[in-house]
Amino acid sequence: MSYLSISHVTKKFGDTVVVDDFNLDIEKGEFVSFLGPSGCGKTTTLRMVAGFEIPTSGKILLNGADITDKAPNQRNVGMIFQSYALFPNMTVAQNIGFGLRIRKEPEATVKQRVDEMVSLINLEKHANKYPYQLSGGQQQRVSLARALANRPQVLLLDEPLSALDAKIRVSLRAEIRAIQKSLGITAIFVTHDQEEALSISDRIVVMNTGVMEQVGTPFEIYNFPTTVFAANFVGSLNNSSAEVVDPANSLISIDGVQFESAVDLKQRRKGDKVRVAIRPERLSFASEQKKANVVDATIENVTFLGSVVRIQVKIGQTKFNMDTFNNPFLELPKIGSMEQVTCSREAVLVLDE
Amino acid sequence: MASEKIGKVVEMSILTRIRRIPFWSWFWFILGALYFLLPLYATVNFSLRMERDVIGFKAYVRAFEDPEFIKTFLYSNMLALLTIVASIILIVPTAYWIRLRLPEARRIVEFITLLPFVVPAIILVFGLIRIYSSPVKIPFTDTTLLQPLTTFEVGTDILIVAGYVVLGLPYMYRSVDTGMRTVDVRTLTEAAQSLGASWFTIIVRVILPNIRAALLSGALLTFAIVVGEVTLASFLGVPAFGPYLFLLGQHRAYEPAALSFASFLLTWVAMGLIQLFTGGQGQTTGAH
Ligand SMILES: Nc1ncnc2c1ncn2[C@@H]1O[C@H](COP(=O)(O)OP(=O)(O)O)[C@@H](O)[C@H]1O
Ligand SMILES: [Mg+2]
């Protein structure tokens, strides 16, 4: 039995299905991200776990107890909002102590716990300040401490970093992850930023228009996407339509250029239309020794992106991006020249058209 | 040559500066100020001349010494206080609930709150008297629940406070609603709920403290309306300050002028207080 179990949860607003048959089991101490474009139902799913929305059908079990219809203030669930949602009339310490005082904890316990939390988020110097006196990043840390002070069973974070600037976003996400790990708390993190999800999560749920597209570790999601949507949404990707040439040997062809894939194609038939996806960093110039998938390509464009050089090549009639790491001794190919380009069999992903 | 040039430059800069303050702006500003200040000046001047050829505060002393003044003034203050408490209890949860759960109802409720501007107080008071001068019965039975409210003192007080809540509605509702717009009540509510707070706790410990300034301005406006109100008070026959001032105006010359200036000062102090609480810090950032 998993710790948090969301089973067959569907949510409709009027006639619109916003979340469709959502199924997920989360283990204690796990950090799960919901990743998907805006409007795909991430927040709604999270709010059902928090109790702000009631599922149209389905069940939510937390630690064995059915919490599907429980009021938000009856569940022990911590919530972090994009807008911080600190109480403007209370100091940092009062904000953090709010939940404990609601529960009528003795004042000494509250004080001790608040001190503990304030030092957890490194804001000892600011304990008596009001929210408006703090930066966005500091406010979000206070909001984290406020949620954690209650020792919630699950921590829910709804795009907590979206309102912050890039530098703080990266450092705070590392901080959130470190705190989550050290406390062993179960967390659900909603984001539309694939890099954020990949860097912070134990598992990612890729969502699209209310439907779960794929669930897996960041490594699986990135390297072995199972749907076109997941492949395109996570990381950058070349994709092209292709045709199965030889199902037994996993051969496909893109505009007549043959590629060998590691994906088992025995279920498909010769002539089937499929979609082929190759990550830019998996393509490279062919070296002397012959390998599989060495093809001719025309150099179309070269873009310098700092740590990476992105080279656009044309294979058959299709343009592909190819990324190589930058180094000072790199010899950049001439635009218009013909080169040989290769990728491993594992890099050739075959998805349903 | 050089000094001539400098002279010209100085002249130019003065000219441009004068041009920067547009003549018509000043004209309308001064006209408006005169329209407002001249009667005030006349009132003050008149109130200081109770004794022939002497400028003094005799009228003020006389007015404040009248035991009837103190009685009616205190009574009206009590009515104002009750009105404010009643409207806060009625309006804060209403405005809050509409923001939270019924945003579609906003327009209807706003329209209702504007009704006191459309329906004159005289109609309101006749309506109240018409309905509440008969005994309050349990519907469809002959059991009398309460004697007619207009026949005993507490009943009349309840009626008039209810009437004043209606008269103050536009001001109180608007203040409270604006106050709630400046803090994100919905998210704050959800944050408090997820921390285990009940509705009562949320309203008392999260919502009310964050709309203090709005409450204060609504309360002061309500206060100003109630203390000077004449129509409801005289038709319901209560010993309030408004009717007293009205009577005084018919029988005396100098005291009413003194009292109106005094109440004017009071209003200014109140406005100053609002400014102090809302202007300086802003509503969301107020410290304890
Ligand atoms: N209270 C609501 N009433 C009607 N539609 C809603 C409500 N809340 C969300 N939606 C709709 O549900 C969809 C999913 O919203 P949401 O869960 O907020 O998406 P996300 O967080 O992934 O951006 C959106 O199309 C949104 O317009
Ligand atoms: Mg969202």
Side-chain angles (χ1 to χ4, degrees):
Chain A
M1 188 76 212
S2 61
Y3 185 64
L4 174 66
S5 160
I6 305 172
S7 72
H8 299 293
V9 163
T10 295
K11 178 68 185 179
K12 294 182 190 173
F13 287 114
D15 288 336
T16 359
V17 180
V18 169
V19 178
D20 194 6
D21 196 28
F22 194 97
N23 276 293
L24 184 67
D25 285 325
I26 298 177
E27 294 306 322
K28 190 159 189 172
E30 206 178 1
F31 195 114
V32 175
S33 291
F34 293 174
L35 173 65
S38 158
C40 72
K42 308 178 296 286
T43 298
T44 306
T45 310
L46 199 73
R47 289 169 61 83
M48 287 191 283
V49 177
F52 299 126
E53 306 283 357
I54 304 295
T56 311
S57 63
K59 267 196 185 343
I60 300 173
L61 303 180
L62 179 56
N63 204 8
D66 186 346
I67 58 162
T68 318
D69 300 312
K70 250 191 183 177
N73 59 359
Q74 302 301 313
R75 326 181 168 197
N76 191 7
V77 163
M79 184 92 185
I80 312 277
F81 301 85
Q82 183 181 333
S83 58
Y84 324 132
L86 296 178
F87 306 124
N89 58 315
M90 300 180 201
T91 61
V92 167
Q94 288 167 334
N95 263 287
I96 296 175
F98 183 83
L100 299 165
R101 292 202 171 94
I102 296 264
R103 292 197 202 162
K104 307 244 179 329
E105 301 273 356
E107 198 54 27
T109 319
V110 175
K111 277 228 164 64
Q112 190 200 338
R113 184 83 181 138
V114 168
D115 286 345
E116 212 175 290
M117 285 295 123
V118 163
S119 64
L120 182 73
I121 54 165
N122 289 317
L123 285 181
E124 291 96 335
K125 281 191 204 127
H126 303 287
N128 292 316
K129 286 192 177 165
Y130 285 91
Y132 74 94
Q133 295 169 308
L134 303 178
S135 71
Q138 290 171 328
Q139 289 190 51
Q140 197 57 294
R141 273 147 67 196
V142 174
S143 142
L144 181 68
R146 181 178 67 177
L148 291 174
N150 268 17
R151 300 184 205 278
Q153 289 178 291
V154 191
L155 184 65
L156 307 174
L157 307 99
D158 191 357
E159 312 224 7
L161 307 172
S162 297
L164 302 169
D165 38 309
K167 270 226 170 94
I168 312 263
R169 206 149 57 206
V170 172
S171 69
L172 188 52
R173 85 179 176 215
E175 200 175 332
I176 289 176
R177 177 61 160 154
I179 289 174
Q180 178 268 337
K181 265 190 176 158
S182 73
L183 300 179
I185 191 165
T186 313
I188 304 178
F189 183 95
V190 162
T191 179
H192 62 259
D193 180 334
Q194 43 108 2
E195 187 200 326
E196 217 164 86
L198 290 171
S199 66
I200 205 173
S201 323
D202 290 319
R203 271 196 302 163
I204 296 175
V205 179
V206 181
M207 290 179 71
N208 182 28
T209 59
V211 179
M212 305 168 77
E213 289 273 337
Q214 188 177 357
V215 183
T217 62
F219 188 83
E220 286 165 354
I221 297 277
Y222 189 85
N223 291 314
F224 309 107
T226 53
T227 68
V228 175
F229 178 84
N232 278 310
F233 195 76
V234 181
S236 59
L237 193 76
N238 297 297
N239 73 74
S240 159
S241 57
E243 203 180 297
V244 178
V245 174
D246 179 358
N249 294 315
S250 292
L251 284 180
I252 49 118
S253 121
I254 301 173
D255 306 330
V257 182
Q258 280 205 2
F259 282 90
E260 192 183 338
S261 173
V263 180
D264 184 0
L265 294 180
K266 293 205 176 67
Q267 300 299 319
R268 302 184 194 260
R269 274 176 294 164
K270 185 172 156 54
D272 276 359
K273 295 269 181 239
V274 289
R275 187 147 280 271
V276 165
I278 303 173
R279 298 246 179 245
E281 71 272 18
R282 303 298 297 272
L283 285 170
S284 60
F285 289 117
S287 48
E288 289 80 51
Q289 67 262 44
K290 275 272 180 209
K291 276 190 277 180
N293 294 336
V294 178
V295 298
D296 289 331
T298 320
I299 308 297
E300 292 272 312
N301 202 354
V302 177
T303 318
F304 186 68
L305 299 174
S307 62
V308 165
V309 179
R310 174 157 293 178
I311 300 163
Q312 196 178 53
V313 298
K314 194 162 157 190
I315 301 173
Q317 292 308 306
T318 314
K319 287 177 184 166
F320 282 84
N321 284 325
M322 177 170 111
D323 287 350
T324 45
F325 278 116
N326 178 28
N327 78 62
F329 311 106
L330 198 65
E331 273 182 47
L332 295 175
K334 277 209 184 66
I335 292 174
S337 64
M338 285 286 275
E339 300 281 345
Q340 287 208 309
V341 166
T342 188
C343 66
S344 69
R345 297 166 64 234
E346 288 74 22
V348 182
L349 305 169
V350 179
L351 308 164
D352 286 324
E353 178 68 273
Chain B
M1 277 292 277
S3 67
E4 212 171 78
K5 243 186 188 167
I6 291 169
K8 270 227 170 106
V9 169
V10 170
E11 204 178 87
M12 287 281 285
S13 80
I14 290 171
L15 269 178
T16 48
R17 210 181 282 177
I18 289 174
R19 230 176 265 141
R20 224 175 280 149
I21 308 160
F23 169 75
W24 287 108
S25 303
W26 277 112
F27 176 78
W28 290 115
F29 173 72
I30 290 169
L31 198 72
L34 283 181
Y35 184 83
F36 177 73
L37 288 175
L38 273 182
L40 190 66
Y41 168 75
T43 309
V44 176
N45 193 323
F46 184 68
S47 72
L48 295 175
R49 292 174 186 277
M50 192 169 189
E51 288 167 295
R52 187 181 290 262
D53 300 331
V54 185
I55 302 277
F57 290 96
K58 184 124 188 272
Y60 291 82
V61 175
R62 279 273 191 86
F64 291 140
E65 267 174 2
D66 187 354
E68 205 50 24
F69 160 79
I70 296 171
K71 222 180 81 188
T72 56
F73 189 69
L74 285 182
Y75 179 72
S76 279
N77 272 295
M78 182 200 72
L79 287 185
L81 216 67
L82 289 175
T83 306
I84 289 165
V85 171
S87 27
I88 288 177
I89 291 175
L90 182 72
I91 290 168
V92 170
T94 310
Y96 175 57
W97 203 249
I98 288 169
R99 285 226 155 248
L100 212 58
R101 292 291 154 87
L102 281 175
E104 317 87 51
R106 273 274 296 290
R107 290 174 149 251
I108 301 166
V109 173
E110 265 179 20
F111 175 74
I112 293 173
T113 61
L114 286 180
L115 279 181
F117 287 150
V118 185
V119 180
I122 183 99
I123 291 181
L124 176 69
V125 70
F126 274 119
L128 285 175
I129 291 173
R130 176 111 182 73
I131 290 179
Y132 292 102
S133 58
S134 40
V136 180
K137 288 182 179 165
I138 298 175
F140 311 118
T141 65
D142 277 342
T143 327
T144 302
L145 205 61
L146 208 62
Q147 286 307 305
L149 284 174
T150 46
T151 55
F152 59 106
E153 230 170 75
V154 178
T156 321
D157 289 347
I158 293 174
L159 265 192
I160 198 163
V161 166
Y164 285 161
V165 168
V166 173
L167 290 188
L169 199 61
Y171 306 99
M172 197 51 128
Y173 182 81
R174 254 136 222 282
S175 305
V176 168
D177 195 50
T178 313
M180 285 186 184
R181 187 171 337 150
T182 56
V183 289
D184 180 1
V185 284
R186 189 188 287 242
T187 316
L188 287 188
T189 301
E190 290 180 352
Q193 274 181 311
S194 72
L195 292 167
S198 63
W199 287 115
F200 181 77
T201 313
I202 295 173
I203 291 186
V204 172
R205 297 199 30 202
V206 177
I207 303 301
L208 283 182
N210 285 307
I211 57 167
R212 277 191 322 259
L215 283 182
L216 191 74
S217 67
L220 286 173
L221 287 167
T222 307
F223 183 85
I225 293 170
V226 172
V227 169
E229 208 280 336
V230 181
T231 317
L232 254 66
S234 44
F235 277 92
L236 285 170
V238 294
F241 187 60
Y244 166 77
L245 206 61
F246 183 72
L247 265 179
L248 199 70
Q250 290 184 326
H251 300 291
R252 300 282 176 77
Y254 295 96
E255 287 95 328
L259 281 182
S260 33
F261 182 64
S263 59
F264 199 83
L265 276 186
L266 195 71
T267 314
W268 267 11
V269 170
M271 303 276 272
L273 281 179
I274 296 181
Q275 277 303 313
L276 199 71
F277 276 84
T278 57
Q281 308 176 304
Q283 305 200 329
T284 54
T285 56
H288 280 278

